[in-house]
Amino acid sequence: MNRLFANGLLRLRRRDFLKAATIATAAMGLPATMVDKVAAALKSPKRPPVIWLHFMECTGCTESLLRTSHPDVASLILDLISLEYHETLMAAAGPQAEENLRRAVEKYRGKFICVVEGGISTKDGGIYCKIGGRTALEILQEVGHASSALVAVGTCAAFGGIQAAAPNPTGAVGVKEIIKDKPIINVPGCPPNGYNILATIAYILTFQRFPELDDLGRPKFAYGRRIHDHCERRAHFDEGRFVEEFGDEGHRKGYCLYKVGCKGPVTYANCPTQRFCDVGVWPVASGHGCIGCTEPDFWDRMIPFYEHVPGVEVPSGQGIVGKAERIGKFALGAAAAGIAIHAAAGVIKKTTKKEEGEE
Ligand code: FSX
Ligand code: SF4
Ligand code: F3S
C-alpha cells in the first residue's frame, strides 16, 4: 500500500500505462517483444519501498518529473513503488515528517531503495545543509546505509552538481563519495530525463538486478552514446554547415551548433532519442547547444558554454568522416582541460574588448 498516495490518486489509465511500458522498454534498449515482460513486472502488486531524500539542489529533478503528461511518468513511477517518504510530495511536515522518516527506515531496514536528489555538503562537518537540525551528511549516512541500494537522481546527487562548482564553498559531493558499501546507480542530467528514471526503476523491477553501468555508474542504455553520435544536426556537422552566431541564417536553417558552444561531442546521454516534455523537444532541437549537463563537474568543465570545444578540427565538407571520428577519440578529461584553457582565454578576450570600449 502506498501510504503517501492512497486511494488511486495517481492511477494511470491502462492505455497510458501500456504506452509508458513501451517507452520504458525502448529506453532500456530492449526489443518490442519485451514489452509484455516489462508490463507484467510493472503491474506486480509487490512494490519496493522507496525513501526519497532531498539535499542541496533546485528540486528541478522532481519538478520536471511532475510536469510530464501523456503518459504521466511521475504517476507511473509513483505507481511502481511504495513511496514512504518524499519531502516535496508528502503532506506531513516538521516533527511528523521526521518521525515518518525514522519509522520508514526502521520498518524497511535493508529492504528499501533510497533515491537521492541533490548534493551533500561535507565541509565543516556538513553544516551547510541541514534538515530538521541534522546535516544532509548525517541523514544520508544513516538512511543510505540502511537501504538495499541507492539511485542518485540528477547531476547534483550523482556528482555534486552546481553547488560543487569551483570553489565549491560547501564541499558538495555526490552520493558515491559518501556511501561506499551499497550498490548505487547514477541517473544524471540537470534535470535528468524522467523516462531515464522510469526506465532505470523498470529495469530493476523487471530483471531484479541493476542494468549494465558505465564507469561513472550510469546505465549504459541511457548514457552509452555521445549526444553527437545520434544528433539530428549531425549531417550538418559532417558537411561543415555551422551556426556562426545565434539568429543567423544557419541558425534559422537548423545547422550544427558546435561553433556556438554545443558540447554534444563530449557528452554522453540519450537526449536526441529520448527527448523531454512529451513534445519531442531537447536542447539542440530547440536551437541551443548541449551544455553537457550529464557529465561530472559540467559547470566547470564545459565553460564557456557559448564557445566551441577547443582542439576539435572542424569539417569543411571534405574528408568529413575521418575528421568527425577524431572528435570521438577525445577523452572528456583532455577536452575539458582544453576548455579550461579556452575559458581563461575567453575571459582575457572579453577584458581586452572592454578595455577597448567594445561590447
Ligand atoms: Fe540538481 Fe535536481 Fe539540476 Fe536541479 O533535484 S541536477 S540543480 S535540475 O534539481 O538536483
Ligand atoms: Fe549536434 Fe552538437 Fe554534434 Fe552539432 S556539435 S552535431 S549540434 S551534438
Ligand atoms: Fe543536458 Fe546536453 Fe541533454 S545539456 S539535457 S545532456 S542535450
Side-chain angles (χ1 to χ4, degrees):
M1 176 70 182
N2 184 333
R3 293 186 293 116
L4 289 176
F5 305 97
N7 305 325
L9 186 65
L10 296 166
R11 281 279 157 202
L12 282 179
R13 286 175 301 164
R14 180 179 157 73
R15 192 186 54 185
D16 284 345
F17 174 81
L18 284 175
K19 188 173 173 192
T22 306
I23 293 169
T25 305
M28 287 184 250
L30 299 173
T33 49
M34 293 294 286
V35 170
D36 286 350
K37 184 177 166 96
V38 173
L42 302 193
K43 274 190 218 154
S44 166
K46 276 198 234 153
R47 292 178 294 158
V50 169
I51 293 177
W52 195 301
L53 301 174
H54 286 276
F55 297 133
M56 299 197 293
E57 42 138 358
C58 75
T59 315
C61 303
T62 279
E63 288 295 335
S64 65
L65 201 56
L66 295 174
R67 297 296 172 265
T68 55
S69 57
H70 308 302
D72 185 333
V73 184
S75 295
L76 184 71
I77 293 172
L78 296 174
D79 259 11
L80 295 182
I81 61 178
S82 178
L83 192 57
E84 302 298 323
Y85 182 88
H86 188 305
E87 283 155 16
T88 309
L89 300 178
M90 66 193 185
Q96 182 62 54
E98 290 164 40
E99 181 59 15
N100 286 356
L101 177 59
R102 193 191 63 72
R103 278 194 199 160
V105 169
E106 277 320 306
K107 184 170 177 186
Y108 299 107
R109 183 170 288 279
K111 295 182 194 132
F112 69 89
I113 295 172
C114 177
V115 175
V116 181
E117 268 187 66
I120 303 99
S121 167
T122 58
K123 195 171 169 193
D124 300 330
I127 56 167
Y128 303 104
C129 179
K130 280 189 161 184
I131 301 159
R134 292 198 298 160
T135 64
L137 183 60
E138 193 182 339
I139 296 170
L140 178 61
Q141 277 168 339
E142 181 201 312
V143 180
H145 282 125
S147 72
S148 58
L150 297 97
V151 181
V153 164
T155 299
C156 298
F159 308 125
I162 185 165
Q163 45 281 314
N168 192 356
T170 66
V173 299
V175 174
K176 267 181 187 283
E177 301 301 317
I178 307 295
I179 304 291
K180 306 281 185 189
D181 60 349
K182 299 279 176 184
I184 301 170
I185 295 189
N186 288 331
V187 187
C190 189
N193 190 311
Y195 282 108
N196 288 339
I197 301 172
L198 169 66
T200 300
I201 294 172
Y203 191 101
I204 296 169
L205 295 184
T206 305
F207 300 103
Q208 299 295 311
R209 59 179 162 81
F210 272 14
E212 193 181 351
L213 305 179
D214 71 5
D215 57 3
L216 291 171
R218 308 177 291 194
K220 278 192 177 173
F221 64 69
Y223 303 90
R225 295 172 69 197
R226 296 178 311 165
I227 297 279
H228 190 62
D229 293 334
H230 46 154
C231 174
E232 65 228 32
R233 299 187 187 222
R234 177 60 184 264
H236 291 305
F237 177 91
D238 288 350
E239 293 299 327
R241 293 189 292 263
F242 296 98
V243 175
E244 299 292 336
E245 61 180 47
F246 288 106
D248 70 6
E249 198 188 344
H251 198 213
R252 287 194 291 278
K253 286 181 171 170
Y255 286 179
C256 171
L257 295 157
Y258 169 76
K259 286 190 178 178
V260 288
C262 181
K263 305 301 186 294
V266 289
T267 302
Y268 287 77
N270 58 356
C271 308
T273 50
Q274 200 53 68
R275 300 180 174 237
F276 293 79
C277 301
D278 313 328
V279 286
V281 74
W282 68 291
V284 167
S286 61
H288 193 287
C290 168
I291 61 170
C293 79
T294 57
E295 298 295 334
D297 304 325
F298 80 96
W299 294 101
D300 295 323
R301 301 168 80 185
M302 300 294 178
I303 57 170
F305 287 142
Y306 295 102
E307 293 187 22
H308 65 81
V309 180
V312 174
E313 204 167 329
V314 178
S316 59
Q318 299 294 319
I320 299 310
V321 174
K323 286 173 182 171
E325 290 314 311
R326 285 182 60 177
I327 292 178
K329 297 195 177 92
F330 262 68
L332 177 60
I339 290 167
I341 293 164
H342 208 65
V347 171
I348 292 164
K349 199 166 71 187
K350 275 174 205 132
T351 312
T352 312
K353 279 190 176 178
K354 222 175 181 180
E355 282 166 0
E356 289 167 1
E358 292 179 36
E359 283 299 306

PDB file of all heavy atoms in Angstrom, residues 107-122:
ATOM      1  N   LYS A 107      11.198   0.218   9.635  1.00  0.00           N
ATOM      2  CA  LYS A 107      10.299  -0.809   9.116  1.00  0.00           C
ATOM      3  C   LYS A 107      10.898  -1.554   7.921  1.00  0.00           C
ATOM      4  O   LYS A 107      10.726  -2.761   7.770  1.00  0.00           O
ATOM      5  CB  LYS A 107       8.973  -0.162   8.709  1.00  0.00           C
ATOM      6  CG  LYS A 107       7.937  -1.155   8.235  1.00  0.00           C
ATOM      7  CD  LYS A 107       6.579  -0.480   8.072  1.00  0.00           C
ATOM      8  CE  LYS A 107       5.564  -1.459   7.540  1.00  0.00           C
ATOM      9  NZ  LYS A 107       4.294  -0.817   7.235  1.00  0.00           N
ATOM     10  N   TYR A 108      11.609  -0.822   7.078  1.00  0.00           N
ATOM     11  CA  TYR A 108      12.098  -1.436   5.835  1.00  0.00           C
ATOM     12  C   TYR A 108      13.622  -1.600   5.820  1.00  0.00           C
ATOM     13  O   TYR A 108      14.216  -1.735   4.758  1.00  0.00           O
ATOM     14  CB  TYR A 108      11.651  -0.605   4.630  1.00  0.00           C
ATOM     15  CG  TYR A 108      10.145  -0.533   4.519  1.00  0.00           C
ATOM     16  CD1 TYR A 108       9.462   0.642   4.840  1.00  0.00           C
ATOM     17  CD2 TYR A 108       9.406  -1.639   4.119  1.00  0.00           C
ATOM     18  CE1 TYR A 108       8.077   0.711   4.755  1.00  0.00           C
ATOM     19  CE2 TYR A 108       8.015  -1.583   4.032  1.00  0.00           C
ATOM     20  CZ  TYR A 108       7.366  -0.411   4.346  1.00  0.00           C
ATOM     21  OH  TYR A 108       5.998  -0.350   4.262  1.00  0.00           O
ATOM     22  N   ARG A 109      14.233  -1.576   6.959  1.00  0.00           N
ATOM     23  CA  ARG A 109      15.704  -1.650   7.043  1.00  0.00           C
ATOM     24  C   ARG A 109      16.251  -2.785   6.171  1.00  0.00           C
ATOM     25  O   ARG A 109      15.789  -3.927   6.258  1.00  0.00           O
ATOM     26  CB  ARG A 109      16.122  -1.858   8.506  1.00  0.00           C
ATOM     27  CG  ARG A 109      17.624  -1.875   8.725  1.00  0.00           C
ATOM     28  CD  ARG A 109      17.937  -1.833  10.207  1.00  0.00           C
ATOM     29  NE  ARG A 109      17.664  -0.533  10.800  1.00  0.00           N
ATOM     30  CZ  ARG A 109      18.484   0.527  10.735  1.00  0.00           C
ATOM     31  NH1 ARG A 109      19.637   0.415  10.110  1.00  0.00           N
ATOM     32  NH2 ARG A 109      18.154   1.678  11.294  1.00  0.00           N
ATOM     33  N   GLY A 110      17.186  -2.444   5.300  1.00  0.00           N
ATOM     34  CA  GLY A 110      17.816  -3.446   4.428  1.00  0.00           C
ATOM     35  C   GLY A 110      16.980  -3.838   3.227  1.00  0.00           C
ATOM     36  O   GLY A 110      17.412  -4.627   2.387  1.00  0.00           O
ATOM     37  N   LYS A 111      15.765  -3.266   3.107  1.00  0.00           N
ATOM     38  CA  LYS A 111      14.875  -3.697   2.026  1.00  0.00           C
ATOM     39  C   LYS A 111      14.422  -2.559   1.117  1.00  0.00           C
ATOM     40  O   LYS A 111      13.776  -2.808   0.106  1.00  0.00           O
ATOM     41  CB  LYS A 111      13.614  -4.337   2.632  1.00  0.00           C
ATOM     42  CG  LYS A 111      13.875  -5.603   3.391  1.00  0.00           C
ATOM     43  CD  LYS A 111      12.555  -6.182   3.898  1.00  0.00           C
ATOM     44  CE  LYS A 111      12.840  -7.249   4.927  1.00  0.00           C
ATOM     45  NZ  LYS A 111      12.050  -7.103   6.120  1.00  0.00           N
ATOM     46  N   PHE A 112      14.693  -1.330   1.479  1.00  0.00           N
ATOM     47  CA  PHE A 112      14.163  -0.228   0.668  1.00  0.00           C
ATOM     48  C   PHE A 112      15.230   0.355  -0.270  1.00  0.00           C
ATOM     49  O   PHE A 112      16.428   0.188  -0.059  1.00  0.00           O
ATOM     50  CB  PHE A 112      13.584   0.869   1.569  1.00  0.00           C
ATOM     51  CG  PHE A 112      14.611   1.632   2.382  1.00  0.00           C
ATOM     52  CD1 PHE A 112      15.234   2.772   1.894  1.00  0.00           C
ATOM     53  CD2 PHE A 112      14.974   1.189   3.658  1.00  0.00           C
ATOM     54  CE1 PHE A 112      16.173   3.479   2.641  1.00  0.00           C
ATOM     55  CE2 PHE A 112      15.914   1.877   4.416  1.00  0.00           C
ATOM     56  CZ  PHE A 112      16.523   3.022   3.904  1.00  0.00           C
ATOM     57  N   ILE A 113      14.708   1.022  -1.331  1.00  0.00           N
ATOM     58  CA  ILE A 113      15.607   1.747  -2.242  1.00  0.00           C
ATOM     59  C   ILE A 113      15.653   3.189  -1.762  1.00  0.00           C
ATOM     60  O   ILE A 113      14.607   3.788  -1.461  1.00  0.00           O
ATOM     61  CB  ILE A 113      15.094   1.683  -3.693  1.00  0.00           C
ATOM     62  CG1 ILE A 113      15.126   0.233  -4.190  1.00  0.00           C
ATOM     63  CG2 ILE A 113      15.918   2.580  -4.609  1.00  0.00           C
ATOM     64  CD1 ILE A 113      14.463   0.029  -5.544  1.00  0.00           C
ATOM     65  N   CYS A 114      16.831   3.728  -1.681  1.00  0.00           N
ATOM     66  CA  CYS A 114      16.997   5.130  -1.280  1.00  0.00           C
ATOM     67  C   CYS A 114      17.268   5.949  -2.544  1.00  0.00           C
ATOM     68  O   CYS A 114      18.289   5.748  -3.205  1.00  0.00           O
ATOM     69  CB  CYS A 114      18.165   5.255  -0.295  1.00  0.00           C
ATOM     70  SG  CYS A 114      18.503   6.948   0.206  1.00  0.00           S
ATOM     71  N   VAL A 115      16.336   6.826  -2.890  1.00  0.00           N
ATOM     72  CA  VAL A 115      16.552   7.739  -4.021  1.00  0.00           C
ATOM     73  C   VAL A 115      17.046   9.053  -3.448  1.00  0.00           C
ATOM     74  O   VAL A 115      16.501   9.546  -2.462  1.00  0.00           O
ATOM     75  CB  VAL A 115      15.244   7.962  -4.814  1.00  0.00           C
ATOM     76  CG1 VAL A 115      15.454   9.002  -5.911  1.00  0.00           C
ATOM     77  CG2 VAL A 115      14.757   6.648  -5.422  1.00  0.00           C
ATOM     78  N   VAL A 116      18.094   9.580  -4.032  1.00  0.00           N
ATOM     79  CA  VAL A 116      18.651  10.845  -3.536  1.00  0.00           C
ATOM     80  C   VAL A 116      18.617  11.887  -4.641  1.00  0.00           C
ATOM     81  O   VAL A 116      18.998  11.615  -5.773  1.00  0.00           O
ATOM     82  CB  VAL A 116      20.113  10.669  -3.046  1.00  0.00           C
ATOM     83  CG1 VAL A 116      20.652  11.996  -2.509  1.00  0.00           C
ATOM     84  CG2 VAL A 116      20.202   9.595  -1.977  1.00  0.00           C
ATOM     85  N   GLU A 117      18.145  13.073  -4.300  1.00  0.00           N
ATOM     86  CA  GLU A 117      18.238  14.243  -5.176  1.00  0.00           C
ATOM     87  C   GLU A 117      19.084  15.272  -4.457  1.00  0.00           C
ATOM     88  O   GLU A 117      18.829  15.561  -3.286  1.00  0.00           O
ATOM     89  CB  GLU A 117      16.853  14.856  -5.390  1.00  0.00           C
ATOM     90  CG  GLU A 117      16.098  14.353  -6.580  1.00  0.00           C
ATOM     91  CD  GLU A 117      14.813  15.154  -6.781  1.00  0.00           C
ATOM     92  OE1 GLU A 117      14.887  16.354  -7.081  1.00  0.00           O
ATOM     93  OE2 GLU A 117      13.737  14.558  -6.623  1.00  0.00           O
ATOM     94  N   GLY A 118      20.067  15.846  -5.137  1.00  0.00           N
ATOM     95  CA  GLY A 118      20.840  16.918  -4.531  1.00  0.00           C
ATOM     96  C   GLY A 118      22.198  16.471  -4.033  1.00  0.00           C
ATOM     97  O   GLY A 118      22.421  15.301  -3.707  1.00  0.00           O
ATOM     98  N   GLY A 119      23.114  17.436  -3.960  1.00  0.00           N
ATOM     99  CA  GLY A 119      24.464  17.169  -3.486  1.00  0.00           C
ATOM    100  C   GLY A 119      24.494  17.175  -1.961  1.00  0.00           C
ATOM    101  O   GLY A 119      23.539  17.593  -1.302  1.00  0.00           O
ATOM    102  N   ILE A 120      25.627  16.715  -1.423  1.00  0.00           N
ATOM    103  CA  ILE A 120      25.766  16.616   0.027  1.00  0.00           C
ATOM    104  C   ILE A 120      26.956  17.463   0.460  1.00  0.00           C
ATOM    105  O   ILE A 120      28.067  17.290  -0.044  1.00  0.00           O
ATOM    106  CB  ILE A 120      25.981  15.136   0.464  1.00  0.00           C
ATOM    107  CG1 ILE A 120      24.831  14.269  -0.038  1.00  0.00           C
ATOM    108  CG2 ILE A 120      26.104  15.016   1.985  1.00  0.00           C
ATOM    109  CD1 ILE A 120      25.118  13.501  -1.292  1.00  0.00           C
ATOM    110  N   SER A 121      26.712  18.363   1.397  1.00  0.00           N
ATOM    111  CA  SER A 121      27.792  19.198   1.923  1.00  0.00           C
ATOM    112  C   SER A 121      28.668  18.362   2.857  1.00  0.00           C
ATOM    113  O   SER A 121      28.153  17.628   3.709  1.00  0.00           O
ATOM    114  CB  SER A 121      27.200  20.386   2.700  1.00  0.00           C
ATOM    115  OG  SER A 121      28.213  21.014   3.459  1.00  0.00           O
ATOM    116  N   THR A 122      29.986  18.472   2.666  1.00  0.00           N
ATOM    117  CA  THR A 122      30.900  17.727   3.545  1.00  0.00           C
ATOM    118  C   THR A 122      31.827  18.659   4.340  1.00  0.00           C
ATOM    119  O   THR A 122      32.450  18.239   5.307  1.00  0.00           O
ATOM    120  CB  THR A 122      31.790  16.762   2.727  1.00  0.00           C
ATOM    121  OG1 THR A 122      32.521  17.523   1.759  1.00  0.00           O
ATOM    122  CG2 THR A 122      30.965  15.693   2.034  1.00  0.00           C
TER     123      THR A 122
END
